[in-house]
Amino acid sequence: MRTTAFKLSLLYIAVFTGLSGFLLVYISRNTNQLMATQVVQTVDAEISGLADEYVRGGVRAVVESIDRRARRPDASLYLLTDFAGLTIAGNIARLPTVVLDETDGDIRRVKYARVEPGGEVQREALVRTFELRGGYRLLVGRDLGEQQRFSGLLGEALRLWLGVVVVMAVITWLFVSRRVLKRIDGIAATSQTIMHGNLSGRLPVAGNGDEFDRLATNLNEMLDRIELLMQGMKDVSDNIAHDLKTPLTRLRTRVETALREAKTDEDYRSALDATLEDSDTLIRIFDALLRIARVEAMAPESGMDDVDLKALVEEMAELYEPVVEDEGGRLEVQVSDAVMARCNRELVAQALVNLIENALKYGKPAEGDLVISIKAERQEDRILLNVSDNGSGIPAEDADRVRRRFVRLDASRSAPGYGLGLSLVNAVARLHGGSLVLQDAEPGLSAGIDLKWAGEPGDKNGGDKNAHDEQPGSQPG
C-alpha cells in the first residue's frame, strides 16, 4: 500500500470518479431543466388549444377534444369537472381535491392515479388548473414518468461507470505493479550490487526506448565512467608505487652514501646536485598529475574561444621544426586555410606539444628518417587534429591502455618520460567533448583529438580574430 502503483490507482479512482460524477450530475441537471421547460411549454399549448375550442364550441367541444386526446399513447393529462367537482371527461382516476381548488393557473407538481388498461397507477406530474365560465374547472398536465426514467438511467450509468473505473484502476495497478515496479526493483537490485563493491553491475535495458530505458542507459554510461575512473585510480596507485618509489629510493640511497663516504666539498656538491635533479624529476611528475587533474576538473566550455587551428599548428611547427631536424627528421604540416575550432587554445596547444614530443621519443623508424606530420581536417561538425609518425606504432590491444596515467609500453622504462603525456591529451580531448583517437598510420602511429567546428570565418560562430589577438607569438604552456 506504500508503493507508487497503489497510490496512483487510488488517485485514478478519485479523479475519474469525481470527473464522472460531475459530468453526470451536470448532464442530469440540465436535462431535467430542459425537460421541465418542454413540459411547461406543452401544457401551455394544450391549454391554449382547449380554451379556443371552448370559445368556439362550448363544453361539448372541450369534452370531445379531451376524449380524443386522452386516448393517445403519450404522457398528457386532462381533467374537466363541473362546479360540484364531478368528473366530466379526462384520463385521471383520482387527484387531491386541493389541486382543483387552486385555479390560479400556476404550474404544480402533484401525485395522481392514472387510468391505464391494467388499472390505476400512482404517478407524478406537472399540472395547471384553470376555471372556465359556468364553474367548470380544466386541468391539463404532463406525466413525469419519462423524466424520472431518464434520471434512473443516468444513475444506473453512473453506478456502472464507477464500477468500470474501479476495474480499470485495478488493471492499472496490476500493470504498474508487474511492469513498472519490476523495472524499479531491477534498478534497486543492481544498485545494491554496485553498493556492495561490484562496479561491473549494470541496469537492465528492455530496449523499448521508454523513460526507464533512457534512465538505465544514462546510469549505465555513468557507471562505465565511474568504473573507468576507479580502474584509473588503481592503475595510478600501482604505477606511482613504481615510478615514484624508484627515484625516492635512489635519492635516499645517494644521501646515505654521501653522508657515509663523502670526504670533500666536491663530493657533497655532487651528491646535492644529483639529489636536486631527482627532486626536480619528482616535482615534474607531480606537476603533470596536477595539470591533468585541473583539466579533468574544468567545466565544459571553460575558456573556450574560436581559434584558427592553421595559425596554431604553424606556430607549433615553427617551434619544433629545428628540434625534429636535429633528430635527423622532417616536420610536415597539412592544414587547410582558416580551420576554425571552438576550443581552449592553451590546452589544445599543450596537447599538440605532447603529441609532437611523443612522436619524437617513440616514433623513430628502424630504418630511414623520422617524418612527423601534423594535420587538421574537418569531418562534418568536428575537426580532427592529429600528429602521425612513421615509426613502429603501438599494438592494437594497447590502444586503450596507453591513455591511462603512468602507462608506458617500454617495460624496462629506459626511455625518458613518465607515461603522463597521452593522459593529458586524453583529458583535453574529453574536455572538448571528444576523445584521444589512436590509429595505425601504416607505418607508424596517428594520434589526435577531435574538436568542435566553429563555422566559417566571418560568420557569427566563426572567425580568426580572437586566435590572433589572444596571445600573439605565445608559446604553449
Side-chain angles (χ1 to χ4, degrees), residues 14-167:
V15 170
F16 277 87
T17 300
L19 291 176
S20 303
F22 169 77
L23 181 62
L24 291 175
V25 169
Y26 177 81
I27 293 175
S28 177
R29 179 175 298 177
N30 284 273
T31 303
N32 288 336
Q33 183 178 357
L34 177 62
M35 296 180 69
T37 302
Q38 291 177 343
V39 167
V40 172
Q41 293 175 351
T42 302
V43 170
D44 290 342
E46 296 275 3
I47 290 174
S48 178
L50 292 173
D52 291 342
E53 292 185 6
Y54 180 77
V55 171
R56 291 194 302 268
V59 174
R60 179 180 296 276
V62 173
V63 170
E64 291 177 356
S65 179
I66 290 176
D67 289 339
R68 185 173 62 256
R69 297 183 183 190
R71 287 193 294 270
R72 296 175 184 171
D74 57 15
S76 297
L77 302 176
Y78 308 96
L79 183 63
L80 179 64
T81 63
D82 58 13
F83 63 91
L86 299 176
T87 299
I88 300 175
N91 56 0
I92 297 178
R94 287 197 312 277
L95 187 73
T97 56
V98 67
V99 177
L100 295 174
D101 293 338
E102 298 174 348
T103 59
D104 52 5
D106 291 338
I107 193 78
R108 292 182 176 83
R109 182 184 290 267
V110 299
K111 293 183 180 299
Y112 73 100
R114 181 168 181 166
V115 179
E116 292 187 358
E120 295 183 1
V121 181
Q122 293 292 327
R123 308 290 286 272
E124 191 173 8
L126 288 176
V127 300
R128 288 184 186 273
T129 305
F130 293 90
E131 185 174 0
L132 304 176
R133 290 192 304 272
Y136 296 102
R137 292 182 175 85
L138 175 63
L139 181 146
V140 179
R142 190 77 176 176
D143 189 85
L144 298 179
E146 294 180 357
Q147 186 173 352
Q148 291 172 346
R149 284 194 297 273
F150 183 77
S151 298
L153 288 175
L154 287 179
E156 184 179 353
L158 175 61
R159 291 189 293 272
L160 178 62
W161 177 249
L162 292 180
V164 172
V165 169
V166 173
V167 172

Side-chain angles (χ1 to χ4, degrees), residues 174-220:
L174 292 175
F175 173 79
V176 173
S177 297
R178 294 176 62 88
R179 296 288 299 275
V180 178
L181 292 184
K182 184 178 180 180
R183 301 285 299 277
I184 295 177
D185 290 341
I187 294 175
T190 306
S191 301
Q192 289 291 332
T193 302
I194 296 171
M195 290 169 59
H196 285 87
N198 183 12
L199 294 178
S200 62
R202 295 297 180 266
L203 303 179
V205 178
N208 51 20
D210 59 4
E211 61 275 11
F212 286 102
D213 271 3
R214 295 197 299 271
L215 175 63
T217 301
N218 291 335
L219 289 178
N220 286 341

Side-chain angles (χ1 to χ4, degrees), residues 218-229:
N218 291 335
L219 289 178
N220 286 341
E221 291 177 358
M222 180 186 69
L223 291 172
D224 290 339
R225 177 66 176 157
I226 292 175
E227 185 179 17
L228 180 63
L229 292 176

Side-chain angles (χ1 to χ4, degrees), residues 364-434:
K364 295 180 180 179
E367 297 180 359
D369 296 332
L370 170 65
V371 178
I372 298 177
S373 177
I374 306 176
K375 298 181 182 179
E377 55 183 354
R378 178 185 168 193
Q379 297 179 352
E380 295 182 355
D381 61 341
R382 306 290 292 182
I383 295 177
L384 182 61
L385 175 64
N386 64 19
V387 176
S388 60
D389 58 61
N390 60 338
S392 58
I394 62 173
E397 60 271 15
D398 293 326
D400 291 332
R401 195 165 65 90
V402 295
R403 295 180 173 90
R404 304 173 189 171
R405 302 175 194 179
F406 292 107
V407 174
R408 298 171 63 187
L409 301 183
D410 179 16
S412 63
R413 297 182 182 257
S414 58
Y418 317 111
L420 297 174
L422 292 182
S423 297
L424 177 60
V425 176
N426 193 40
V428 173
R430 286 203 305 267
L431 177 66
H432 290 82

